[in-house]
C-alpha cells in the first residue's frame, strides 16, 4: 500500500509505502503486475537518510522522490544490476506541501519551503518564484490547510498551476490559483480567483 504512485520510464514506481516509509519500490519493466523483488527488473530501495518519502514524480527518462530532508533522482540504467541510478540532488529544498508536486514532460515543479521551484531532466532544483511571487504566496497562503495546495499541469500548454486556500478563503475550499507559464520570459506568473474543493 502506497500513498504515491508514478510512472518512470516503463516502470510503475511507488513511494510513501505504509510498511516501509523510507522505501521506493518499482514494478518489472513493462510489467505493472509484477512486484516481487528480483523477479524481472522489479525491486526496491530503502534510503538510509533523508527521512520519509512524501511525493514522487515520474517522467519518460527519470523520476524524482521527495523526502523529509532530501530530493533524489531516479534514472533507469539499462544493463546495470542496480536498475536505477539513484542520486541525492538536494538536501536544502524540503517539500512545503505534499500535493504541490507537478510533472510536466521533462520538468518537475514543486513548492519548497524556500518557494516555487523546478527540476529539469534530473538536474538540481531552480527557483522560479524568487522574491515577489514567493513573498506574496507565503504571506497569503493558509499554512494550516496545506492539503489544499494542489499542483496541476495544463496537458495542452506550457503552464502549471497551484490552487491554494488563502487566509481569507472559506473553510475547506481553495480560493486562488497561481499559474506559471515557462514559455513566457517576461511576467510568466498570473493569478486566478477561483473557488473549489479537493
Amino acid at each position: 500500500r502506497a500513498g504515491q504512485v508514478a510512472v518512470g520510464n516503463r516502470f510503475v514506481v511507488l513511494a510513501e509505502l505504509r510498511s516501509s516509509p523510507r522505501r521506493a519500490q518499482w514494478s518489472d519493466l513493462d510489467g505493472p503486475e509484477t512486484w516481487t523483488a528480483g523477479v524481472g527488473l522489479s525491486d526496491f530501495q530503502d534510503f538510509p537518510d533523508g527521512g520519509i518519502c512524501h511525493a514522487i514524480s515520474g517522467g519518460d527518462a527519470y523520476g524524482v522522490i521527495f523526502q523529509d530532508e532530501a530530493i533524489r533522482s531516479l534514472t533507469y540504467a539499462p544493463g546495470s544490476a542496480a536498475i536505477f541510478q539513484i542520486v541525492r540532488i538536494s538536501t536544502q529544498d524540503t517539500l512545503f506541501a505534499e500535493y504541490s508536486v507537478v510533472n510536466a514532460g521533462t520538468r518537475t515543479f514543486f513548492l519548497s519551503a524556500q518557494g516555487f521551484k523546478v527540476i529539469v531532466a534530473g538536474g538540481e532544483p531552480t527557483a522560479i518564484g524568487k522574491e515577489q511571487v514567493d513573498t506574496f504566496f507565503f504571506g497569503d497562503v493558509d499554512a494550516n490547510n496545506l492539503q489544499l495546495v494542489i499542483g496541476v499541469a495544463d496537458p495542452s500548454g506550457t503552464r502549471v498551476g497551484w490552487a491554494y486556500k488563502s487566509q481569507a478563503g472559506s473553510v475547506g475550499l481553495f480560493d486562488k490559483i497561481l499559474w506559471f507559464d515557462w514559455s513566457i520570459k517576461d511576467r510568466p506568473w498570473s493569478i486566478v480567483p477561483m473557488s473549489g474543493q479537493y
Side-chain angles (χ1 to χ4, degrees), residues 113-166:
Q114 292 81 35
F116 292 98
K117 301 210 173 180
V118 63
I119 301 170
V120 179
E124 295 182 0
T126 303
I128 58 171
K130 196 170 182 179
E131 305 299 340
Q132 189 174 1
V133 172
D134 291 341
T135 300
F136 166 78
F137 174 80
F138 286 121
D140 193 40
V141 68
D142 181 348
N144 294 315
N145 284 280
L146 296 181
Q147 78 280 5
L148 292 173
V149 178
I150 306 158
V152 63
D154 179 346
S156 61
T158 56
R159 288 173 294 277
V160 291
W162 290 271
Y164 71 96
K165 180 187 177 301
S166 71

Side-chain angles (χ1 to χ4, degrees), residues 56-59 62-66 71 100-110 117-122 125-126 128 160 162:
I56 186 168
S57 172
Y62 75 101
V64 180
I65 293 196
F66 295 85
I71 300 173
S100 71
V101 178
V102 182
N103 178 255
T106 60
R107 296 169 174 85
T108 297
F109 296 88
F110 67 102
K117 301 210 173 180
V118 63
I119 301 170
V120 179
T126 303
I128 58 171
V160 291
W162 290 271

Side-chain angles (χ1 to χ4, degrees), residues 6-186:
V7 175
N9 196 283
R10 290 155 34 210
F11 298 86
V12 177
V13 185
L14 305 178
E16 203 174 42
L17 294 159
R18 184 177 292 176
S19 59
S20 302
R22 291 176 178 244
R23 173 178 292 179
Q25 185 167 351
W26 52 89
S27 70
D28 190 11
L29 180 70
D30 293 325
E33 69 287 343
T34 304
W35 290 92
T36 304
V39 175
L41 297 180
S42 63
D43 207 346
F44 63 86
Q45 176 67 54
D46 289 320
F47 303 120
D49 58 11
I52 293 171
C53 300
H54 289 287
I56 186 168
S57 172
D60 289 341
Y62 75 101
V64 180
I65 293 196
F66 295 85
Q67 297 175 261
D68 286 323
E69 299 163 353
I71 300 173
R72 298 180 193 268
S73 66
L74 289 80
T75 305
Y76 177 44
S80 168
I83 303 168
F84 281 101
Q85 291 177 343
I86 301 175
V87 177
R88 185 173 51 202
I89 58 175
S90 178
T91 58
Q92 306 299 315
D93 296 291
T94 56
L95 196 58
F96 185 72
E98 186 171 325
Y99 302 126
S100 71
V101 178
V102 182
N103 178 255
T106 60
R107 296 169 174 85
T108 297
F109 296 88
F110 67 102
L111 176 60
S112 81
Q114 292 81 35
F116 292 98
K117 301 210 173 180
V118 63
I119 301 170
V120 179
E124 295 182 0
T126 303
I128 58 171
K130 196 170 182 179
E131 305 299 340
Q132 189 174 1
V133 172
D134 291 341
T135 300
F136 166 78
F137 174 80
F138 286 121
D140 193 40
V141 68
D142 181 348
N144 294 315
N145 284 280
L146 296 181
Q147 78 280 5
L148 292 173
V149 178
I150 306 158
V152 63
D154 179 346
S156 61
T158 56
R159 288 173 294 277
V160 291
W162 290 271
Y164 71 96
K165 180 187 177 301
S166 71
Q167 294 172 21
S170 300
V171 174
L173 301 174
F174 61 80
D175 60 316
K176 294 180 183 177
I177 303 175
L178 276 173
W179 286 101
F180 175 76
D181 190 329
W182 66 84
S183 70
I184 299 174
K185 301 303 177 193
D186 296 332

